[in-house]
Amino acid sequence: MNLDQLAERRRATLLIALLGALLFLPLLGNVGLWDPHEVRVADLAKEAMASAGPTTSPGRIAIQRPPLTLWLIGAGFRALGVGELGGRLPIALTALLALLGCYYAGTALVRRRTALLGAIALLTMPAFLLGARQLVTSAPLILASALAVGGGTHALWPRDRTARGRLGHAALGVLGLALGHLAGGALLGTAVPLAALAAAAWLGDTEEHTMRRLTRVAFPLAALALVLAAAWIKVGQYSPLLGGVRRAGPHAVVFVTVIRDFGFAAFPWVALLPLGLMSSTPAGAGAADRDEARRERLGRLTLIAWLGASYLGAMLETSWVGEVSFPGLAAIALLCADILDRALAEPRGLGHAGFAVFVGALLLAHDLAEGPEHYAGAHIVGTLQWPPLDSPRFVLTAVGIVWGLLVGLALGLPPSPAQEAEGGTGTPGGPATAQGWRHRLTLFAYGLALVNALGTVYWLVPELSKHLSSKGLFSRYQALGGSDGELGQYRAAGKGIDYYFRGKATDLMTLDQLFSFLGKPRRTFVVMPSEELPAIDQYAKTHSQPYLVIDDTNSRFLLLSNRLGPGEQDRNPLRRLVVRELPRPPQHVVNANFEDKVELVGYDVPDAIDRGRQFTITLYYKVKAPIGTNYKVFVHFDGPGHRVNGDHVPLDGKFPTANWVPGYYIIDEHPMTAERTGTPEGVYKIYTGFWLGSQRLQVKSGPNDGENRVQLGTVVVR
């Protein structure tokens, strides 16, 4: 079965539904809610459920957010209980409808085969894929936008002027506009699809002359009215127009930042987007061909207008509200699929285009290797705190490079010499033709994207959830002492405890309350953010108060207790690095005094280091007086015209200098790497000290180079 047969309406609908169900529905309740991202939305949904009534307005129910997503989550909570499955299942089903909506819109704007390829591309985009399985999502807005644009296009410019159902398409378009208002506010949910249709009618080669005249007047007036209406919105109040709360003061928006964010959201397909925006449709020779070419130009113009209106809406939303969803993700998918689909039928290779796509995918892969949180958090407003996971960096890099190579070859593969001699002709899809190989390479690229999506759902998300959700710690508490122990929660950023623990937990807000709770005669447990550990350890040392870390498997949360059970051990990462006595003398003794506050006793470092290989420098400090400020440690390896920089927060950020307690030794182990390229071989001098901005701690004694740097010694880089 080839792509044309697969793109038949029933087969395509079934395939899209099956792929969506495979990626969206399994294991929804197996991983905890990401805290605070999903937990915040769940809390709002529960508030909406509690406040809903016959006289309650939608804005009131929305609680300063568009109401549709909260209504869906609330309905799931009522039907399946308050938990992961109850909240996520309605979102997953909505995302499934959004996929079908993308295909529906595509059948009006591009060919059916292209619409199928576009829906599958959308399915594998990280922002859509992850949002389909979480409470933080744009799926309702994407569904609404696809229905509005697809229904409007089907109704305004039907392929068959005598076809029945034009009124039904118009009804779907109106439904999409209404849902868009509830899912993202009037700006993103209603104005964006209307602007896309109006721009297509205004600029396109259509026979709807009356509509073109109307849009030339109505479109500018509507845009002016929208800007004026937004200017009169009160700061700090929810606005149905914006779908959020208007922020105070001017807020600059850098358009490159928005492009970057949505570029990561559409990885890896966005590498094709420039070609989709610049491509043109040749006019056919016959009347039927000319009519089809006109329709393709109109469809592509509508897609570009849809994408452009979404981008402008996102810019305004970011400036006014600070939170934004992108309704045009389906437009990106369809535009990217269009350039690929037409390349399948192109007898001659598009070498420059293929190379450009490969370079674009390579750059995306590099950026994601440097910041994989942009991939996993593409659907999240704000920054995702990336846990200590290195494997996804390599996987994303490999996916980007291989996908770019496959698509680049599919676009740029030239015809064979025999075909070239025949003018580039051949049997499309035949085994010996360039079209046949383009067909295979494109399918391989789609297959790789689907494999990456499967890996994201079944491997990456569970691994991330171990660190981004506190569910595992509550399960650990239940296993250790749930029947006898008492549970507390110290300065938790979210309310995840409400979803995993049905008993009573004590909220602890101060260090005095925390250690009073841990000082009870019965066994007690405390769930706390790991970032609070330095302050807790400082308090424990200055007040001689004991505490134990019995679970450190989560990089964002820790489980404390006041005693150890059978087979348990203290997993406090500071126990080995913050000590009363050094477990061993340093390899090299220094004895440098920093303002009578800290003494650098010595250091460990290899005599020689190999370029491209990681090594560790260990600095041993003795704390003499409170420092009071969070200084950073600088470590410079200065050699022949080059510096290997090792600036860092002590103890990998786990114990800043403001928390250092007099009388204790600090063992600061810092991994470094001398890059293989760009680092000359030779002898390097090692310098270190403390700095904050332009300020350095003064070196009162020891090997001072005159710039408040301590010279430690030398090392050979080879």
Side-chain angles (χ1 to χ4, degrees):
M1 183 181 296
N2 58 33
L3 271 177
D4 289 320
Q5 293 172 323
L6 200 59
E8 189 270 329
R9 179 180 300 173
R10 292 184 179 179
R11 291 193 181 100
T13 302
L14 180 61
L15 177 61
I16 293 169
L18 288 175
L19 290 176
L22 176 65
L23 290 171
F24 298 165
L25 300 181
L27 307 179
L28 285 177
N30 283 32
V31 296
L33 299 173
W34 287 11
D35 196 350
H37 309 288
E38 287 189 276
V39 170
R40 288 173 179 167
V41 180
D43 290 343
L44 290 174
K46 289 199 301 181
E47 290 183 46
M49 290 169 56
S51 64
T55 60
T56 308
S57 65
R60 173 63 179 167
I61 294 176
I63 315 175
Q64 301 185 340
R65 278 177 178 261
L68 182 56
T69 300
L70 302 182
W71 287 344
L72 289 170
I73 296 170
F77 283 165
R78 288 191 185 96
L80 300 173
V82 177
E84 296 93 341
L85 181 61
R88 290 171 176 163
L89 183 58
I91 300 301
L93 296 176
T94 302
L96 197 55
L97 292 176
L99 275 182
L100 297 173
C102 176
Y103 175 72
Y104 168 72
T107 57
L109 299 168
V110 291
R111 289 176 289 182
R112 288 192 181 278
R113 186 171 72 177
T114 308
L116 172 62
L117 294 175
I120 298 176
L122 176 64
L123 169 72
T124 61
M125 291 180 177
F128 186 81
L129 174 65
L130 293 168
R133 298 181 56 87
Q134 294 190 8
L135 306 188
V136 184
T137 182
S138 297
L141 181 59
I142 294 172
L143 168 63
S145 193
L147 288 179
V149 174
T153 305
H154 275 296
L156 295 174
W157 305 295
R159 292 186 178 275
D160 184 357
R161 295 277 178 178
T162 63
R164 298 178 181 179
R166 193 168 182 177
L167 186 60
H169 291 303
L172 281 178
V174 172
L175 174 63
L177 295 175
L179 291 176
H181 178 76
L182 296 174
L187 174 61
L188 293 180
T190 304
V192 164
L194 283 178
L197 294 172
W202 189 4
L203 302 173
D205 181 16
T206 72
E207 298 177 2
E208 305 286 348
H209 301 296
T210 303
M211 181 175 294
R212 293 180 67 181
R213 287 194 293 269
L214 286 174
T215 54
R216 292 188 182 207
V217 177
F219 187 46
L221 290 178
L224 179 61
L226 181 67
V227 174
L228 292 176
W232 285 97
I233 295 173
K234 293 183 179 180
V235 172
Q237 291 186 5
Y238 175 80
S239 166
L241 171 63
L242 300 180
V245 179
R246 178 71 183 270
R247 302 190 301 179
H251 300 279
V253 177
V254 181
F255 74 94
V256 174
T257 302
V258 179
I259 292 176
R260 180 203 65 191
D261 291 344
F262 295 127
F264 290 132
F267 172 82
W269 303 97
V270 73
L272 279 163
L273 186 58
L275 298 180
L277 295 175
M278 294 184 297
S279 61
S280 60
T281 304
D289 291 335
R290 285 196 299 271
D291 184 66
E292 185 61 27
R294 180 186 64 81
R295 284 202 56 82
E296 289 193 23
R297 284 194 297 271
L298 180 62
R300 191 166 300 111
L301 176 61
T302 305
L303 283 174
I304 294 173
W306 186 6
L307 176 59
S310 298
Y311 173 71
L312 291 176
M315 289 274 290
L316 294 174
E317 189 84 356
T318 304
S319 177
W320 288 333
V321 176
E323 296 187 11
V324 64
S325 298
F326 194 63
L329 207 58
I332 295 178
L334 291 171
L335 277 168
C336 294
D338 182 61
I339 185 65
L340 265 182
D341 190 26
R342 286 189 291 114
L344 295 179
E346 176 65 36
R348 299 184 181 276
L350 306 174
H352 295 298
F355 180 74
V357 170
F358 174 69
V359 171
L362 196 64
L363 292 175
L364 277 171
H366 172 269
D367 290 344
L368 287 177
E370 295 293 323
E373 65 275 5
H374 294 301
Y375 177 89
H379 61 304
I380 291 175
V381 176
T383 303
L384 180 73
Q385 184 177 341
W386 186 256
L389 297 174
D390 290 328
S391 298
R393 301 175 186 269
F394 303 109
V395 172
L396 292 174
T397 302
V399 168
I401 294 174
V402 176
W403 182 91
L405 183 62
L406 290 171
V407 174
L409 288 174
L411 291 172
L413 196 66
S416 65
Q419 288 179 275
E420 188 73 30
E422 297 174 6
T425 61
T427 304
T433 65
Q435 294 98 317
W437 278 108
R438 290 194 189 101
H439 185 99
R440 293 182 181 86
L441 291 169
T442 300
L443 290 180
F444 289 154
Y446 270 86
L448 178 61
L450 285 171
V451 169
N452 181 62
L454 287 168
T456 299
V457 169
Y458 293 100
W459 170 65
L460 179 60
V461 169
E463 287 297 314
L464 288 173
S465 299
K466 292 178 183 178
H467 299 270
L468 300 175
S469 172
S470 56
K471 181 179 182 178
L473 294 182
F474 291 107
S475 300
R476 174 77 166 159
Y477 157 74
Q478 294 283 3
L480 291 177
S483 58
D484 300 321
E486 186 176 353
L487 181 64
Q489 183 177 230
Y490 179 68
R491 291 189 179 181
K495 299 179 181 178
I497 192 171
D498 296 338
Y499 300 91
Y500 312 123
F501 182 66
R502 304 307 178 192
K504 182 179 179 181
T506 304
D507 286 325
L508 308 168
M509 299 306 298
T510 67
L511 288 168
D512 288 334
Q513 291 175 346
L514 170 64
F515 281 95
S516 176
F517 185 79
L518 290 173
K520 291 184 176 183
R522 66 182 299 185
R523 191 173 190 193
T524 56
F525 300 84
V526 177
V527 175
M528 52 152 286
S530 56
E531 62 190 19
E532 298 290 340
L533 185 62
I536 290 174
D537 194 78
Q538 180 185 25
Y539 184 98
K541 287 179 169 56
T542 55
H543 293 78
S544 299
Q545 296 283 347
Y547 75 99
L548 301 162
V549 177
I550 59 173
D551 195 311
D552 65 342
T553 56
N554 191 313
S555 63
R556 294 187 62 239
F557 301 95
L558 296 172
L559 182 63
L560 307 185
S561 185
N562 56 354
R563 69 186 65 169
L564 295 175
E568 298 173 16
Q569 58 180 319
D570 186 7
R571 298 182 177 275
N572 190 339
L574 300 180
R575 290 282 186 257
R576 183 179 62 86
L577 303 175
V578 183
V579 295
R580 279 289 190 182
E581 298 292 337
L582 288 177
R584 61 186 182 278
Q587 293 177 356
H588 307 279
V589 178
V590 178
N591 295 324
N593 182 356
F594 292 89
E595 296 187 9
D596 294 325
K597 295 180 178 180
V598 181
E599 178 185 358
L600 176 59
V601 178
Y603 69 98
D604 299 343
V605 75
D607 295 330
I609 58 177
D610 296 322
R611 293 176 297 170
R613 291 189 177 181
Q614 189 180 85
F615 66 95
T616 298
I617 181 171
T618 303
L619 303 169
Y620 299 86
Y621 300 101
K622 183 176 183 180
V623 185
K624 294 186 172 184
I627 299 177
T629 305
N630 284 329
Y631 284 92
K632 291 184 178 180
V633 173
F634 66 82
V635 179
H636 299 159
F637 285 61
D638 289 348
H642 185 76
R643 168 175 289 177
V644 180
N645 197 314
D647 297 355
H648 63 281
V649 178
L651 278 64
D652 193 27
K654 295 183 177 70
F655 205 51
T657 58
N659 299 112
W660 289 10
V661 178
Y664 283 84
Y665 289 91
I666 309 297
I667 304 174
D668 181 22
E669 301 172 343
H670 182 62
M672 296 179 61
T673 303
E675 298 295 335
R676 183 176 298 276
T677 59
T679 303
E681 296 181 346
V683 178
Y684 284 67
K685 295 181 179 179
I686 309 173
Y687 298 93
T688 188
F690 294 88
W691 66 284
L692 181 64
S694 59
Q695 178 184 355
R696 290 180 178 176
L697 275 181
Q698 181 183 357
V699 181
K700 298 189 68 174
S701 64
N704 185 2
D705 73 339
E707 298 181 8
N708 290 317
R709 298 191 306 174
V710 175
Q711 181 175 344
L712 300 183
T714 60
V715 66
V716 176
V717 176
R718 58 194 181 190

